[in-house]
Amino acid sequence: MLRKLQSLVSDYFRVSYHEGRGILTLIAFVVIALLTGVLYKRFVPFRPVDTSVTDQKKLDSLLRLMQDEEASKPQYGKNDTRDRTDAERFNEPKRRAGERFAFNPNTVSVADWQRLGLPQWLAERIDKYRSKGGQFRQKADLLKIYNFPPALYSELEPYITLPASAPENGRRPFADRPAAYSYTSGNRYPERPRVERPVLQPFDINTADSSQLVALNGIGPTSAGRILKFRNALGGFVSTNQFADIYGLDSVGRVELMRLGQIRSAPRRIPINTASAADLDRHPFLSRRQAEVIVRYREQHGAFTSAESLKPIRILDAQTIEKIAPYLEF
């Protein structure tokens, strides 16, 4: 039987007798290897090692280590006010109204600052500024304190008292300098013409140019360009509160702008019943999506008659309608 099978393999693969015997032997080894795996799984049951107790002990020890590490960390107060800005903390509703009395910002104490209505953190900031040699030589210097509210400064400004700076040792400054230059006396120092700074007058912010803006304290060429760019995008200011929306304008420049910048001319209006979506989208108070919805609503329901007729448009909230209404022509 084996010889017959060996001859059959030799004839099929066209090999010699000895090569056919080798092929047959190899086939036998392969069959035995395959059957060994099948028979082992069938007759030798798999018994998994129970490691649940060991694993549970490891997990318990890891959890204990994590809890000990968490307990060893310093516990900071879980106060949601730590993520607020200084301006948000100052404008909290719980801030009580301060007293009003005359004070010198160079000598007033932290407690008196709090009596005036400043929060403790801002009063301590001012005290730290003075301890490092900072001085308030004029009233507006108070706005140099980071995040000092301009609204509070406007309330306190009438009560700020700054004494005139006294000369040291009772002597007049530069008293030892010679008189004005003259060819007869031969003095070394020529007399220089005194340049008087012109007194700034209020102006119309909606028609002002950059030269008028640069003349204000705290406003340079860059800030003036931003003011004009924002004004032109709006079509003109309708309220001095809009000065707070000007990008990059600090508190000193904003106070000066509110003091001298007046609104005397009407803003440029957009004819809402004939304007395209692109025309409406150019206004900074409207997005492209809102402009498209306004035009579609107008085409379906007819012309708008007033700002009230914009209220059915869901995409426009009451605040947006209130801001954009002065710039619309019905």
Side-chain angles (χ1 to χ4, degrees):
M1 179 68 180
L2 185 60
R3 287 178 177 271
K4 197 171 185 178
L5 183 61
Q6 187 174 350
S7 299
L8 184 64
V9 170
S10 300
D11 294 340
Y12 182 81
F13 290 103
R14 297 181 182 273
V15 294
S16 65
Y17 178 80
H18 295 287
E19 290 173 342
R21 187 170 58 182
I23 293 175
L24 191 61
T25 304
L26 180 61
I27 292 173
F29 275 119
V30 171
V31 172
I32 291 172
L34 293 174
L35 289 175
T36 301
V38 174
L39 294 174
Y40 181 83
K41 290 182 180 179
R42 183 175 181 85
F43 295 104
V44 180
F46 175 71
R47 297 177 180 177
V49 179
D50 186 10
T51 60
S52 59
V53 177
T54 306
D55 292 343
Q56 187 63 37
K57 289 181 179 179
K58 290 182 178 179
L59 290 174
D60 292 341
S61 62
L62 287 174
L63 180 61
R64 194 176 301 109
L65 287 173
M66 293 173 62
Q67 291 175 346
D68 294 342
E69 184 179 357
E70 185 69 23
S72 64
K73 290 182 178 179
Q75 298 294 323
Y76 300 101
K78 296 183 177 180
N79 186 1
D80 59 353
T81 60
R82 67 180 181 271
D83 294 328
R84 299 182 184 176
T85 63
D86 291 343
E88 289 173 342
R89 285 187 287 159
F90 180 80
N91 292 323
E92 289 178 347
K94 64 182 182 181
R95 185 176 68 89
R96 62 182 181 83
E99 303 176 24
R100 294 294 174 261
F101 54 85
F103 67 96
N104 183 353
N106 290 310
T107 58
V108 67
S109 64
V110 173
D112 288 336
W113 277 122
Q114 292 181 262
R115 287 176 54 202
L116 290 166
L118 270 70
Q120 182 179 358
W121 55 267
L122 185 55
E124 292 175 350
R125 179 177 295 173
I126 296 174
D127 188 61
K128 184 177 180 180
Y129 168 76
R130 295 183 311 195
S131 65
K132 293 184 178 295
Q135 291 185 1
F136 302 101
R137 293 182 173 83
Q138 54 183 353
K139 296 181 178 181
D141 287 348
L142 201 58
L143 291 171
K144 293 180 180 178
I145 300 299
Y146 179 70
N147 262 4
F148 194 99
L152 182 61
Y153 169 77
S154 300
E155 297 178 15
L156 298 179
E157 192 267 340
Y159 300 94
I160 299 176
T161 58
L162 291 172
S165 57
E168 296 180 1
N169 301 325
R171 299 174 59 189
R172 288 192 306 110
F174 312 112
D176 55 343
R177 285 192 178 183
Y181 178 85
S182 67
Y183 290 98
T184 56
S185 62
N187 292 329
R188 295 177 55 191
Y189 300 99
E191 182 179 3
R192 295 181 180 179
R194 181 175 298 178
V195 179
E196 294 185 0
R197 189 175 180 179
V199 179
L200 299 178
Q201 299 295 330
F203 57 88
D204 186 4
I205 187 63
N206 286 333
T207 59
D209 55 17
S210 59
S211 62
Q212 291 176 283
L213 296 173
V214 171
L216 300 181
N217 187 26
I219 297 180
T222 302
S223 298
R226 290 171 178 170
I227 294 170
L228 296 178
K229 183 178 179 180
F230 185 65
R231 181 196 69 186
N232 295 336
L234 286 176
F237 295 101
V238 296
S239 171
T240 56
N241 293 330
Q242 293 175 323
F243 297 159
D245 298 330
I246 300 173
Y247 172 75
L249 186 63
D250 60 13
S251 56
V252 177
R254 187 162 56 249
V255 168
E256 282 290 288
L257 199 59
M258 294 182 70
R259 184 172 67 90
L260 296 173
Q262 298 180 354
I263 299 173
R264 300 173 182 173
S265 56
R268 183 178 65 253
R269 298 177 183 270
I270 304 173
I272 191 171
N273 290 319
T274 58
S276 63
D279 295 333
L280 294 172
D281 181 39
R282 292 191 190 98
H283 201 280
F285 290 161
L286 291 176
S287 65
R288 183 179 183 84
R289 174 66 177 163
Q290 290 172 329
E292 292 174 351
V293 171
I294 290 174
V295 172
R296 259 200 309 268
Y297 185 89
R298 183 187 67 198
E299 293 172 351
Q300 294 175 1
H301 298 84
F304 298 104
T305 57
S306 65
E308 294 291 327
S309 56
L310 294 172
K311 291 185 177 180
I313 303 177
R314 289 187 174 183
I315 201 172
L316 299 178
D317 55 15
Q319 185 179 5
T320 302
I321 295 175
E322 182 181 358
K323 290 169 63 177
I324 194 66
Y327 298 98
L328 299 180
E329 180 180 298
F330 298 94

Short mmCIF file of all heavy atoms in Angstrom, two decimals, residues 182-229:
data_model
loop_
_atom_site.label_atom_id
_atom_site.label_comp_id
_atom_site.label_asym_id
_atom_site.label_seq_id
_atom_site.Cartn_x
_atom_site.Cartn_y
_atom_site.Cartn_z
N SER A 182 21.69 138.42 26.39
CA SER A 182 21.75 139.72 25.72
C SER A 182 23.20 139.97 25.33
O SER A 182 24.13 139.50 25.99
CB SER A 182 21.26 140.84 26.65
OG SER A 182 22.15 141.01 27.73
N TYR A 183 23.40 140.66 24.25
CA TYR A 183 24.75 140.91 23.77
C TYR A 183 25.53 141.83 24.72
O TYR A 183 26.75 141.80 24.77
CB TYR A 183 24.69 141.52 22.37
CG TYR A 183 24.22 140.52 21.33
CD1 TYR A 183 22.88 140.53 20.93
CD2 TYR A 183 25.09 139.59 20.79
CE1 TYR A 183 22.44 139.61 19.98
CE2 TYR A 183 24.64 138.67 19.84
CZ TYR A 183 23.31 138.69 19.44
OH TYR A 183 22.88 137.80 18.53
N THR A 184 24.80 142.64 25.45
CA THR A 184 25.49 143.57 26.36
C THR A 184 25.95 142.88 27.62
O THR A 184 27.05 143.13 28.12
CB THR A 184 24.55 144.72 26.72
OG1 THR A 184 23.36 144.19 27.29
CG2 THR A 184 24.19 145.52 25.47
N SER A 185 25.08 141.96 28.17
CA SER A 185 25.45 141.29 29.42
C SER A 185 26.34 140.09 29.17
O SER A 185 27.06 139.66 30.06
CB SER A 185 24.20 140.86 30.19
OG SER A 185 23.46 139.93 29.41
N GLY A 186 26.25 139.53 27.97
CA GLY A 186 27.09 138.38 27.64
C GLY A 186 26.68 137.10 28.34
O GLY A 186 27.52 136.25 28.60
N ASN A 187 25.40 136.95 28.71
CA ASN A 187 24.93 135.73 29.35
C ASN A 187 25.02 134.54 28.40
O ASN A 187 24.88 134.68 27.19
CB ASN A 187 23.48 135.89 29.82
CG ASN A 187 23.38 136.89 30.96
OD1 ASN A 187 24.32 137.01 31.74
ND2 ASN A 187 22.27 137.58 31.03
N ARG A 188 25.23 133.35 28.96
CA ARG A 188 25.44 132.18 28.13
C ARG A 188 24.14 131.59 27.59
O ARG A 188 24.15 130.89 26.60
CB ARG A 188 26.15 131.10 28.95
CG ARG A 188 27.56 131.50 29.38
CD ARG A 188 28.16 130.42 30.25
NE ARG A 188 28.12 129.14 29.56
CZ ARG A 188 28.38 127.97 30.15
NH1 ARG A 188 28.67 127.97 31.44
NH2 ARG A 188 28.35 126.84 29.47
N TYR A 189 23.03 131.81 28.29
CA TYR A 189 21.78 131.15 27.93
C TYR A 189 20.88 132.11 27.18
O TYR A 189 20.38 133.08 27.75
CB TYR A 189 21.06 130.65 29.20
CG TYR A 189 21.89 129.67 29.99
CD1 TYR A 189 22.61 130.11 31.10
CD2 TYR A 189 21.97 128.33 29.61
CE1 TYR A 189 23.38 129.22 31.83
CE2 TYR A 189 22.74 127.45 30.33
CZ TYR A 189 23.45 127.89 31.44
OH TYR A 189 24.21 127.02 32.16
N PRO A 190 20.62 131.86 25.88
CA PRO A 190 19.70 132.75 25.15
C PRO A 190 18.27 132.52 25.56
O PRO A 190 17.89 131.44 26.01
CB PRO A 190 19.93 132.35 23.70
CG PRO A 190 20.37 130.92 23.77
CD PRO A 190 21.16 130.81 25.04
N GLU A 191 17.50 133.52 25.44
CA GLU A 191 16.07 133.41 25.79
C GLU A 191 15.34 132.66 24.68
O GLU A 191 15.47 132.97 23.50
CB GLU A 191 15.47 134.81 25.94
CG GLU A 191 14.01 134.78 26.35
CD GLU A 191 13.45 136.17 26.52
OE1 GLU A 191 14.21 137.13 26.26
OE2 GLU A 191 12.28 136.28 26.88
N ARG A 192 14.61 131.66 25.10
CA ARG A 192 13.85 130.86 24.14
C ARG A 192 12.40 131.31 24.14
O ARG A 192 11.83 131.56 25.20
CB ARG A 192 13.92 129.37 24.50
CG ARG A 192 15.35 128.81 24.39
CD ARG A 192 15.36 127.35 24.74
NE ARG A 192 16.70 126.78 24.64
CZ ARG A 192 16.99 125.51 24.91
NH1 ARG A 192 16.02 124.70 25.32
NH2 ARG A 192 18.23 125.09 24.78
N PRO A 193 11.80 131.36 22.98
CA PRO A 193 10.38 131.75 22.93
C PRO A 193 9.52 130.68 23.60
O PRO A 193 9.73 129.48 23.38
CB PRO A 193 10.10 131.86 21.44
CG PRO A 193 11.13 131.00 20.79
CD PRO A 193 12.35 131.12 21.64
N ARG A 194 8.59 131.12 24.39
CA ARG A 194 7.69 130.20 25.09
C ARG A 194 6.54 129.81 24.15
O ARG A 194 5.84 130.68 23.64
CB ARG A 194 7.13 130.87 26.34
CG ARG A 194 6.19 129.97 27.14
CD ARG A 194 5.75 130.64 28.42
NE ARG A 194 6.92 130.89 29.29
CZ ARG A 194 6.82 131.51 30.46
NH1 ARG A 194 5.64 131.95 30.89
NH2 ARG A 194 7.91 131.70 31.18
N VAL A 195 6.42 128.52 23.94
CA VAL A 195 5.37 128.01 23.06
C VAL A 195 4.19 127.61 23.92
O VAL A 195 4.29 126.74 24.79
CB VAL A 195 5.87 126.79 22.25
CG1 VAL A 195 4.76 126.26 21.35
CG2 VAL A 195 7.10 127.18 21.42
N GLU A 196 3.09 128.25 23.70
CA GLU A 196 1.87 127.94 24.45
C GLU A 196 1.04 126.93 23.66
O GLU A 196 0.77 127.12 22.47
CB GLU A 196 1.05 129.22 24.69
CG GLU A 196 1.74 130.21 25.61
CD GLU A 196 0.85 131.39 25.91
OE1 GLU A 196 -0.29 131.40 25.38
OE2 GLU A 196 1.27 132.28 26.66
N ARG A 197 0.66 125.88 24.34
CA ARG A 197 -0.15 124.85 23.71
C ARG A 197 -1.57 125.35 23.54
O ARG A 197 -2.18 125.84 24.50
CB ARG A 197 -0.14 123.59 24.57
CG ARG A 197 -0.79 122.40 23.88
CD ARG A 197 -0.63 121.16 24.73
NE ARG A 197 -1.24 120.01 24.09
CZ ARG A 197 -1.24 118.79 24.60
NH1 ARG A 197 -0.64 118.58 25.76
NH2 ARG A 197 -1.81 117.79 23.96
N PRO A 198 -2.11 125.23 22.33
CA PRO A 198 -3.47 125.74 22.13
C PRO A 198 -4.48 124.95 22.95
O PRO A 198 -4.33 123.73 23.16
CB PRO A 198 -3.70 125.53 20.63
CG PRO A 198 -2.73 124.46 20.23
CD PRO A 198 -1.54 124.65 21.12
N VAL A 199 -5.49 125.64 23.42
CA VAL A 199 -6.55 124.99 24.19
C VAL A 199 -7.46 124.23 23.24
O VAL A 199 -7.96 124.78 22.26
CB VAL A 199 -7.36 126.05 24.98
CG1 VAL A 199 -8.48 125.37 25.76
CG2 VAL A 199 -6.44 126.82 25.91
N LEU A 200 -7.63 122.94 23.50
CA LEU A 200 -8.45 122.10 22.63
C LEU A 200 -9.92 122.41 22.83
O LEU A 200 -10.38 122.59 23.97
CB LEU A 200 -8.17 120.62 22.91
CG LEU A 200 -6.72 120.16 22.67
CD1 LEU A 200 -6.57 118.69 23.04
CD2 LEU A 200 -6.33 120.39 21.22
N GLN A 201 -10.63 122.45 21.73
CA GLN A 201 -12.06 122.74 21.76
C GLN A 201 -12.84 121.49 21.35
O GLN A 201 -12.34 120.66 20.59
CB GLN A 201 -12.39 123.90 20.80
CG GLN A 201 -11.70 125.21 21.15
CD GLN A 201 -12.17 125.77 22.48
OE1 GLN A 201 -13.32 125.54 22.90
NE2 GLN A 201 -11.29 126.51 23.16
N PRO A 202 -14.05 121.34 21.86
CA PRO A 202 -14.87 120.20 21.42
C PRO A 202 -15.09 120.23 19.91
O PRO A 202 -15.15 121.28 19.30
CB PRO A 202 -16.18 120.40 22.20
CG PRO A 202 -15.81 121.24 23.38
CD PRO A 202 -14.72 122.15 22.91
N PHE A 203 -15.22 119.03 19.34
CA PHE A 203 -15.38 118.92 17.89
C PHE A 203 -16.36 117.79 17.58
O PHE A 203 -16.70 116.98 18.44
CB PHE A 203 -14.03 118.65 17.22
CG PHE A 203 -13.34 117.41 17.75
CD1 PHE A 203 -13.58 116.16 17.21
CD2 PHE A 203 -12.46 117.52 18.82
CE1 PHE A 203 -12.95 115.03 17.71
CE2 PHE A 203 -11.82 116.39 19.33
CZ PHE A 203 -12.07 115.14 18.77
N ASP A 204 -16.82 117.77 16.34
CA ASP A 204 -17.76 116.74 15.88
C ASP A 204 -16.97 115.50 15.51
O ASP A 204 -16.17 115.51 14.57
CB ASP A 204 -18.56 117.25 14.68
CG ASP A 204 -19.64 116.26 14.25
OD1 ASP A 204 -19.81 115.23 14.94
OD2 ASP A 204 -20.31 116.51 13.22
N ILE A 205 -17.17 114.42 16.22
CA ILE A 205 -16.43 113.20 15.99
C ILE A 205 -16.75 112.59 14.64
O ILE A 205 -15.93 111.87 14.05
CB ILE A 205 -16.71 112.19 17.13
CG1 ILE A 205 -15.80 110.95 17.00
CG2 ILE A 205 -18.16 111.78 17.14
CD1 ILE A 205 -14.35 111.23 17.12
N ASN A 206 -17.94 112.88 14.11
CA ASN A 206 -18.34 112.27 12.84
C ASN A 206 -17.74 112.99 11.63
O ASN A 206 -17.87 112.49 10.50
CB ASN A 206 -19.87 112.25 12.71
CG ASN A 206 -20.49 111.19 13.60
OD1 ASN A 206 -19.86 110.18 13.91
ND2 ASN A 206 -21.72 111.40 14.02
N THR A 207 -17.13 114.13 11.83
CA THR A 207 -16.48 114.84 10.73
C THR A 207 -15.01 115.12 11.01
O THR A 207 -14.33 115.73 10.19
CB THR A 207 -17.20 116.17 10.45
OG1 THR A 207 -17.16 116.98 11.65
CG2 THR A 207 -18.64 115.93 10.04
N ALA A 208 -14.50 114.68 12.16
CA ALA A 208 -13.11 114.98 12.55
C ALA A 208 -12.13 114.20 11.67
O ALA A 208 -12.44 113.12 11.17
CB ALA A 208 -12.90 114.62 14.01
N ASP A 209 -10.94 114.77 11.49
CA ASP A 209 -9.88 114.08 10.77
C ASP A 209 -8.81 113.62 11.76
O ASP A 209 -8.91 113.86 12.97
CB ASP A 209 -9.28 114.97 9.68
CG ASP A 209 -8.78 116.31 10.24
OD1 ASP A 209 -8.60 116.40 11.47
OD2 ASP A 209 -8.57 117.24 9.45
N SER A 210 -7.80 112.96 11.23
CA SER A 210 -6.77 112.39 12.11
C SER A 210 -5.98 113.44 12.87
O SER A 210 -5.54 113.20 14.00
CB SER A 210 -5.82 111.53 11.27
OG SER A 210 -5.20 112.30 10.26
N SER A 211 -5.80 114.63 12.30
CA SER A 211 -5.03 115.67 13.00
C SER A 211 -5.74 116.12 14.27
O SER A 211 -5.09 116.41 15.28
CB SER A 211 -4.79 116.85 12.07
OG SER A 211 -6.03 117.44 11.67
N GLN A 212 -7.07 116.19 14.24
CA GLN A 212 -7.80 116.57 15.45
C GLN A 212 -7.72 115.48 16.51
O GLN A 212 -7.66 115.77 17.70
CB GLN A 212 -9.26 116.85 15.10
CG GLN A 212 -9.47 118.11 14.27
CD GLN A 212 -10.91 118.29 13.87
OE1 GLN A 212 -11.41 117.62 12.96
NE2 GLN A 212 -11.61 119.18 14.56
N LEU A 213 -7.73 114.22 16.07
CA LEU A 213 -7.68 113.12 17.03
C LEU A 213 -6.30 112.97 17.65
O LEU A 213 -6.17 112.70 18.84
CB LEU A 213 -8.09 111.82 16.33
CG LEU A 213 -9.53 111.77 15.81
CD1 LEU A 213 -9.76 110.51 15.00
CD2 LEU A 213 -10.53 111.85 16.95
N VAL A 214 -5.25 113.16 16.85
CA VAL A 214 -3.88 113.02 17.36
C VAL A 214 -3.57 114.08 18.41
O VAL A 214 -2.74 113.87 19.30
CB VAL A 214 -2.88 113.07 16.19
CG1 VAL A 214 -1.45 113.15 16.69
CG2 VAL A 214 -3.04 111.85 15.31
N ALA A 215 -4.24 115.23 18.35
CA ALA A 215 -4.00 116.30 19.32
C ALA A 215 -4.49 115.93 20.71
O ALA A 215 -4.10 116.57 21.70
CB ALA A 215 -4.67 117.59 18.85
N LEU A 216 -5.32 114.90 20.83
CA LEU A 216 -5.85 114.51 22.14
C LEU A 216 -4.82 113.69 22.90
O LEU A 216 -4.02 112.96 22.34
CB LEU A 216 -7.13 113.68 21.96
CG LEU A 216 -8.29 114.36 21.23
CD1 LEU A 216 -9.48 113.43 21.17
CD2 LEU A 216 -8.68 115.66 21.93
N ASN A 217 -4.87 113.81 24.21
CA ASN A 217 -3.96 113.07 25.08
C ASN A 217 -4.30 111.58 25.03
O ASN A 217 -5.46 111.19 25.19
CB ASN A 217 -4.08 113.58 26.52
CG ASN A 217 -3.05 112.95 27.42
OD1 ASN A 217 -1.99 112.53 26.97
ND2 ASN A 217 -3.36 112.88 28.71
N GLY A 218 -3.29 110.73 24.80
CA GLY A 218 -3.51 109.30 24.78
C GLY A 218 -3.88 108.73 23.44
O GLY A 218 -4.14 107.52 23.34
N ILE A 219 -3.93 109.57 22.39
CA ILE A 219 -4.30 109.09 21.05
C ILE A 219 -3.16 109.43 20.09
O ILE A 219 -2.83 110.60 19.89
CB ILE A 219 -5.62 109.72 20.56
CG1 ILE A 219 -6.77 109.30 21.48
CG2 ILE A 219 -5.91 109.32 19.12
CD1 ILE A 219 -8.11 109.87 21.09
N GLY A 220 -2.57 108.39 19.51
CA GLY A 220 -1.51 108.57 18.53
C GLY A 220 -2.02 108.30 17.13
O GLY A 220 -3.22 108.10 16.91
N PRO A 221 -1.13 108.28 16.14
CA PRO A 221 -1.56 108.03 14.76
C PRO A 221 -2.25 106.69 14.58
O PRO A 221 -3.22 106.59 13.82
CB PRO A 221 -0.24 108.10 13.98
CG PRO A 221 0.68 108.91 14.83
CD PRO A 221 0.32 108.61 16.24
N THR A 222 -1.76 105.64 15.25
CA THR A 222 -2.39 104.32 15.10
C THR A 222 -3.80 104.31 15.67
O THR A 222 -4.74 103.82 15.03
CB THR A 222 -1.53 103.25 15.81
OG1 THR A 222 -0.22 103.26 15.26
CG2 THR A 222 -2.13 101.87 15.62
N SER A 223 -3.97 104.87 16.87
CA SER A 223 -5.31 104.91 17.48
C SER A 223 -6.24 105.79 16.66
O SER A 223 -7.43 105.47 16.51
CB SER A 223 -5.21 105.43 18.91
OG SER A 223 -4.44 104.58 19.71
N ALA A 224 -5.74 106.90 16.13
CA ALA A 224 -6.58 107.77 15.30
C ALA A 224 -7.06 107.03 14.06
O ALA A 224 -8.22 107.15 13.65
CB ALA A 224 -5.80 109.03 14.92
N GLY A 225 -6.16 106.25 13.44
CA GLY A 225 -6.56 105.48 12.28
C GLY A 225 -7.63 104.45 12.60
O GLY A 225 -8.56 104.23 11.82
N ARG A 226 -7.53 103.82 13.77
CA ARG A 226 -8.55 102.84 14.18
C ARG A 226 -9.89 103.51 14.44
O ARG A 226 -10.95 102.97 14.13
CB ARG A 226 -8.08 102.10 15.42
CG ARG A 226 -6.92 101.15 15.16
CD ARG A 226 -6.37 100.60 16.45
NE ARG A 226 -5.28 99.65 16.22
CZ ARG A 226 -4.49 99.16 17.17
NH1 ARG A 226 -4.66 99.56 18.43
NH2 ARG A 226 -3.53 98.32 16.86
N ILE A 227 -9.86 104.70 15.03
CA ILE A 227 -11.11 105.43 15.29
C ILE A 227 -11.80 105.78 13.98
O ILE A 227 -13.02 105.58 13.83
CB ILE A 227 -10.82 106.69 16.12
CG1 ILE A 227 -10.31 106.33 17.52
CG2 ILE A 227 -12.07 107.57 16.24
CD1 ILE A 227 -9.79 107.50 18.31
N LEU A 228 -11.04 106.30 13.03
CA LEU A 228 -11.63 106.68 11.74
C LEU A 228 -12.13 105.45 10.98
O LEU A 228 -13.19 105.51 10.34
CB LEU A 228 -10.60 107.44 10.90
CG LEU A 228 -10.14 108.79 11.47
CD1 LEU A 228 -9.09 109.41 10.57
CD2 LEU A 228 -11.32 109.74 11.66
N LYS A 229 -11.39 104.35 11.04
CA LYS A 229 -11.81 103.14 10.34
C LYS A 229 -13.13 102.61 10.92
O LYS A 229 -14.04 102.22 10.17
CB LYS A 229 -10.71 102.08 10.45
CG LYS A 229 -11.02 100.81 9.70
CD LYS A 229 -9.87 99.81 9.82
CE LYS A 229 -10.19 98.53 9.08
NZ LYS A 229 -9.07 97.53 9.20
#
